[in-house]
Amino acid sequence: MTARILVVDDLPVNARLLEAKLTAEYYQVTVVDNGHAAIEVCKAGGCDLVLLDVMMPNLSGFEVCRILKSDADTLHIPVVLVTALDAARDRVEGLEAGADDFLTKPVSDVALLARVKSLLRLKLLVDELRMRAATAQDVQLEILYKRVFASPSASDLVLIADDRESSAKRMRDILMRAGYRVVIEQGARRVVDLAIEKNPTLAIVNLDIADYDGLRLCSELRAHQLTRNLPLLAVSDETNEARLSKALDLGVNDYVTRPIEPNELLARAMTQLRRERYTDYLRESVQTTMELAIKDPLTGLYNRRYLQTYLANHVKIAGEKNTPLSLLVLDIDHFKSVNDLHGHDGGDDVLVEFVERLSDNLRRIDLACRLGGEEFVVIMPETDRTLATSVAERIREVVAREPFRISSDGQTVHITTSIGISCFHGVGDTPELMLKRADLGLYKAKNSGRNRVIVADAA
C-alpha cells in the first residue's frame, strides 16, 4: 500500500530512523522538524498519515494534534503520536487530543508497520467518502464538530465479546460510567449474529477467548456485509505483539492490552466513536448528494434523470418477460393562471398538494416522477391498458373533486388535470416512443377540452 507519510521530529536521528523504515516499505516520506511546518504540509494536502513526536519546542505534539483535529480540512488525516513518554496519562492525553494512535519509543518495526497499514486502510475509505460528499455540498463544520465531538450517549452501544466474566464486567462498568450502553456476549459463536441484531457503535473483542480463535472472530465480523464497517477494538496480553499485529492486518481498528487502564480504554473507545461519527456524516452527505441529483426538492418525487433510467429498465423487463407496462403523462390544466393570480408560492402549494393526491392514488409498485414544471409521469409496471385507464380516471376525479388551498392568502383554487396514456407494444418499443405516445395522448386531451384521459395507443 503506497502512501505519503509525514514524520515530525525535532531530533534528526529519530526522524531519519523512521524515514528509513518506512521508505524500505515503499512509502513516500516527508520529514519536518517542527509543528508549524507539519500543519502547513497537512493543510496543503501533502500527506496521508502523520507520525508526530510529542516532545518538541514551541509547539508540542499534543498541540499540533489538537490543531489538526479541529480543522475540517485536516480532521480526517490519521495522526500517530510517537514519544518516549509511556505513562498512561500521557497516552490518554494524546488520544483525547484527537490522536488516532500512540506509540512509545523505541517502536518495534512490527507494531509500527501494522498501525500504519491499518490507519491507511481506513483513510482510503474516508477519502472516497469525502470526495463524493464534496461533489455537491461542503462539509458544514459546525454540524460536523457537534456530532463528532459529542459525549457518548444511550444511542452508543458497545458489544463486548469476552468469555472472562470479571474482565467483561470491568470493561462494562468503565464504559457505562462514561455514558455508553453495553451488552456482553461470552459465547463467541453468537457474536456476529448479535452484532447484526443490535447494530452496535463499537465491538470489543477478547483475542484470547478460550473456546474460539479471537482472530477468526474478528475476520468473521469484517467479512459480513452488515458488520464490515463496525469499529473493532481488540483486547489481549501485552506480550502478544505478533497476535495484535495480525489483528490489525485483519481489519481491527485498535487494541488495548492487559492490565486495562480505565482512561485508556475510554480514550480509545472515544477515538473509534469519533471516527464512526465522522464516516457516518460523510455517508449521509453522499446519500444527500445522490438524492439531490435524482429528486425534485419541492415535491420529493424523482426527477427526469431518474425517470429515464428507471423507465429503460422496466421496458427491458417487460420485453424479456412479455409483461404489460403502462405510462401516464399528467399536466395541470391552466397552471400559469395559478401563478399569475397567487404568485409562485401559491403555485408551489398547488404542486405539493397535487403530488399528495397523486401519490395517495397509486399502488406501491407505481413510480411517480416530476418531468418538469407542472408535468408529471407515472410508470406502472405489470399494468395493462384497462387498469392504467381506470387508475388515471381515478386520479383525474380526485384532483377535480376538492379545491386546492393556497396557504399564503387562505384562498382556494379549483384544479383539473389532463392525462395521456401509452402502453408497451412489445419487442421494438422503446422508452422514448412510449413517452412520445403518452405526450400525444396528453396533447389530444388538452385540445379536447382538458380534464380528461386519452390513451394514445390503438385498442
Side-chain angles (χ1 to χ4, degrees):
M1 180 189 300
T2 183
R4 302 163 301 167
I5 298 179
L6 175 63
V7 174
V8 189
D9 199 316
D10 61 321
L11 296 178
V13 174
N14 292 341
R16 297 306 171 191
L17 179 61
L18 282 174
E19 181 183 20
K21 291 180 178 180
L22 295 166
T23 303
E25 298 295 321
Y26 301 100
Y27 292 111
Q28 299 176 30
V29 182
T30 300
V31 176
V32 297
D33 61 3
N34 66 86
H36 294 291
I39 293 168
E40 289 180 6
V41 172
C42 291
K43 289 184 72 67
C47 67
D48 298 304
L49 182 142
V50 182
L51 294 176
L52 179 62
D53 185 36
V54 171
M55 304 300 292
M56 293 188 298
N58 299 323
L59 205 60
S60 73
F62 294 142
E63 293 171 308
V64 173
C65 188
R66 289 190 185 95
I67 292 170
L68 293 175
K69 294 299 182 178
S70 64
D71 189 325
D73 292 332
T74 55
L75 172 65
H76 65 291
I77 301 174
V79 175
V80 180
L81 294 176
V82 184
T83 181
L85 300 174
D86 61 357
R89 65 177 180 275
D90 297 316
R91 292 197 296 273
V92 171
E93 183 178 356
L95 294 168
E96 288 180 343
D100 297 271
D101 213 327
F102 194 108
L103 296 175
T104 304
K105 299 176 182 177
V107 181
S108 75
D109 293 356
V110 174
L112 171 66
L113 296 176
R115 291 292 195 189
V116 167
K117 289 178 182 178
S118 175
L119 291 171
L120 287 174
R121 186 167 55 237
L122 286 170
K123 186 175 181 292
L124 284 174
L125 169 64
V126 171
D127 283 349
E128 177 66 18
L129 290 171
R130 291 181 78 246
M131 181 182 68
R132 294 181 185 178
T135 59
Q137 59 184 27
D138 294 329
V139 175
Q140 301 177 49
L141 185 60
E142 184 178 354
I143 296 174
L144 176 61
Y145 272 51
K146 284 182 179 179
R147 180 180 301 189
V148 171
F149 292 101
S151 299
S153 68
S155 63
D156 296 313
L157 174 67
V158 179
L159 168 61
I160 297 177
D162 194 345
D163 59 342
R164 303 184 187 182
E165 186 174 356
S166 60
S167 172
K169 287 183 176 180
R170 182 166 183 266
M171 287 189 287
R172 178 197 63 190
D173 293 344
I174 293 169
L175 292 164
M176 289 184 69
R177 282 196 296 270
Y180 295 94
R181 287 188 301 125
V182 180
V183 60
I184 296 173
E185 178 54 57
Q186 293 180 297
R189 290 175 176 81
R190 273 270 303 153
V191 170
V192 175
D193 290 339
L194 192 62
I196 294 171
E197 176 188 342
K198 299 291 186 180
N199 189 28
T201 305
L202 170 69
I204 300 177
V205 178
N206 175 17
L207 294 185
D208 307 310
I209 293 177
D211 64 344
Y212 205 74
D213 185 343
L215 291 175
R216 181 172 297 281
L217 176 56
C218 294
S219 176
E220 290 170 353
L221 285 166
R222 275 289 166 263
H224 199 286
Q225 182 178 358
L226 297 179
T227 58
R228 64 180 49 173
N229 293 319
L230 172 64
L232 299 180
L233 184 65
V235 179
S236 188
D237 296 329
E238 191 167 4
T239 57
N240 206 341
E241 186 178 273
R243 193 165 177 78
L244 288 170
S245 296
K246 183 64 175 177
L248 292 172
D249 282 340
L250 290 172
V252 169
N253 301 86
D254 200 355
Y255 63 79
V256 291
T257 56
R258 294 189 178 90
I260 294 173
E261 203 283 322
N263 288 329
E264 182 173 0
L265 174 65
L266 290 176
R268 292 196 182 276
M270 178 54 77
T271 295
Q272 296 309 315
L273 175 61
R274 288 172 179 168
R275 182 179 295 154
E276 182 68 8
R277 287 171 174 171
Y278 182 73
T279 54
D280 282 347
Y281 180 88
L282 291 174
R283 288 190 186 100
E284 290 171 13
S285 296
V286 171
Q287 181 64 33
T288 300
T289 299
M290 293 173 63
E291 290 186 358
L292 286 172
I294 62 175
K295 281 196 170 183
D296 169 48
L298 175 65
T299 63
L301 296 183
Y302 288 103
N303 60 19
R304 180 190 293 266
R305 180 183 299 175
Y306 186 85
L307 163 69
Q308 292 170 338
T309 302
Y310 190 86
L311 179 58
N313 287 337
H314 276 280
V315 166
K316 181 180 178 182
I317 292 170
E320 291 174 347
K321 296 186 177 181
N322 194 28
T323 54
L325 172 68
S326 294
L327 186 71
L328 312 183
V329 175
L330 308 89
D331 186 272
I332 299 176
D333 297 327
H334 301 296
F335 185 72
K336 183 178 182 299
S337 64
V338 176
N339 283 330
D340 291 342
L341 291 173
H342 303 281
H344 288 286
D345 288 343
D348 288 349
D349 290 340
V350 169
L351 289 171
V352 170
E353 187 173 346
F354 179 86
V355 168
E356 289 175 356
R357 297 190 192 188
L358 172 64
S359 301
D360 287 343
N361 287 275
L362 295 177
R363 304 163 301 172
R364 294 184 66 179
I365 64 170
D366 301 328
L367 180 80
C369 302
R370 186 179 180 188
L371 196 59
E374 66 274 21
E375 195 169 10
F376 301 85
V377 174
V378 177
I379 301 170
M380 307 180 72
E382 301 182 13
T383 305
D384 60 18
R385 180 179 186 274
T386 301
L387 180 55
T389 303
S390 175
V391 171
E393 285 289 355
R394 183 172 71 242
I395 293 170
R396 184 193 62 77
E397 291 174 2
V398 166
V399 169
R401 186 182 304 154
E402 299 289 338
F404 285 60
R405 186 174 180 80
I406 307 298
S407 60
S408 59
D409 55 21
Q411 297 186 47
T412 59
V413 58
H414 286 277
I415 294 296
T416 61
T417 182
S418 300
I419 305 174
I421 301 177
S422 68
C423 301
F424 182 62
H425 278 173
V427 177
D429 207 353
T430 67
E432 294 76 18
L433 289 174
M434 288 191 69
L435 282 168
K436 186 175 181 179
R437 292 197 304 273
D439 267 334
L440 178 60
L442 174 64
Y443 178 78
K444 290 180 178 178
K446 291 281 189 182
N447 285 342
S448 300
R450 295 184 169 82
N451 190 25
R452 64 193 60 211
V453 175
I454 290 185
V455 181
D457 299 319

